Amino acid sequence: MFWISFLRRKYYLYFNYFLYYLKIKNFGQSQIHNMNRNEVYKYFLFHFYKYSSNKIITHRYYFSQKKRGYGEDAFHSMWSYLFYKFQPVSILEIGVYRGQTLSLFKILSEQLGIISQVFGISPLDSSADEFSSYVNIDYEADISLNFKKFNLQMPKIIKSLSVSPESREFIESKEWDLIYVDGSHDYKDVVRDVKISINNLKSGGILVLDDSSLFTEFDPELSVEFKVKSFKGHEGPSTVFQEMLKRKDCTHFLGVGHNNVFVKN
């Protein structure tokens, strides 16, 4: 049933936007940095349907069911592009939820032959986040189950809030190639997460800030015509994103929907 639905959506896109498809090339030849934010989103949405492997597509479908994850189809393609371009080895996600992104990092590492080290920081409950709706489950057991679903080794997760001394010590113990900030959406917490993340990124490393496009020109309604749902973000991360644009130690690299990517200078 899923694959029937997937093919219907794929060919809906092809039929209605085949002229746009003629402009889409694989990652190594893409012109995404010359596009505006809405064109970039459409590019990655199209790219998901045109180039993603069956495992990536199945992974996205699995986590889109039963509230296993939030995210959007275009984000799976965005992460594929970032892994293709930056080849990250030391990887951290702040705010794990049910393991969608961490398991995707593992799959992309396998597919690209990257011997990565993937870590997460999360209290493994719904504490310290008043902006999202969570299910009442054993998150640790659930993440383990989800990783087994895709034959992946369980990552190391620091079971704590990102502001705790234990988490701060762990972040500062390594130099990171990639940090995904997706924990608390409270402004003060996001500021702290971004500050410690940038301080401990390698030069050329990337920081991805989730839920941070509320004050941009991104139009989430454009996804409706493609029969998918989109979201601009929350005020806290979006305010931090605007502030990050003025920083001298990192450069805005890419925006896909409510995700924004920075490279450390």
Side-chain angles (χ1 to χ4, degrees), residues 9-53:
R9 186 178 296 176
K10 175 176 180 176
Y11 290 111
Y12 170 85
L13 293 170
Y14 267 73
F15 179 75
N16 289 282
Y17 298 94
F18 69 95
L19 290 177
Y20 188 85
Y21 262 108
L22 296 178
K23 302 177 184 178
I24 295 180
K25 300 178 181 179
N26 212 341
F27 289 141
Q29 303 172 331
S30 67
Q31 301 297 315
I32 56 176
H33 297 284
N34 297 323
M35 300 176 182
N36 65 43
R37 185 176 286 266
N38 291 316
E39 290 174 334
V40 169
Y41 186 88
K42 287 192 288 186
Y43 174 89
F44 280 103
L45 184 60
F46 289 152
H47 207 287
F48 173 77
Y49 285 97
K50 189 171 184 181
Y51 289 112
S52 295
S53 67

Side-chain angles (χ1 to χ4, degrees), residues 75-96 100-109 112 114-121 156 170-172 174-182 193-194 196-210 244 251 253-254 259-264:
F75 296 164
H76 266 53
S77 194
M78 177 201 75
W79 286 117
S80 297
Y81 171 66
L82 294 176
F83 270 68
Y84 171 87
K85 184 171 181 64
F86 291 95
Q87 303 278 307
V89 174
S90 54
I91 303 167
L92 173 66
E93 179 181 22
I94 297 175
V96 174
Q100 175 177 210
T101 310
L102 285 182
S103 56
L104 178 61
F105 291 167
K106 287 276 194 178
I107 291 172
L108 290 172
S109 296
L112 291 169
I114 305 169
I115 305 176
S116 62
Q117 299 175 330
V118 179
F119 302 90
I121 291 176
K156 179 179 179 180
F170 178 72
I171 296 172
E172 292 171 344
K174 300 178 182 295
E175 281 192 311
W176 301 95
D177 295 306
L178 164 61
I179 300 181
Y180 178 35
V181 178
D182 185 25
D193 288 345
V194 165
I196 193 172
S197 295
I198 291 179
N199 287 345
N200 291 280
L201 276 176
K202 296 177 182 177
S203 178
I206 56 176
L207 180 147
V208 181
L209 182 60
D210 186 62
M244 290 182 70
T251 302
F253 175 75
L254 183 67
N259 280 319
N260 286 286
V261 184
F262 287 83
V263 178
K264 183 172 181 178

Side-chain angles (χ1 to χ4, degrees), residues 38 42 47 55 67 69 112 116 122 126 168 187 192 240:
N38 291 316
K42 287 192 288 186
H47 207 287
K55 190 168 186 177
K67 294 186 177 182
L112 291 169
S116 62
S122 172
S126 60
R168 294 180 65 85
Y187 171 79
R192 284 192 291 260
V240 174

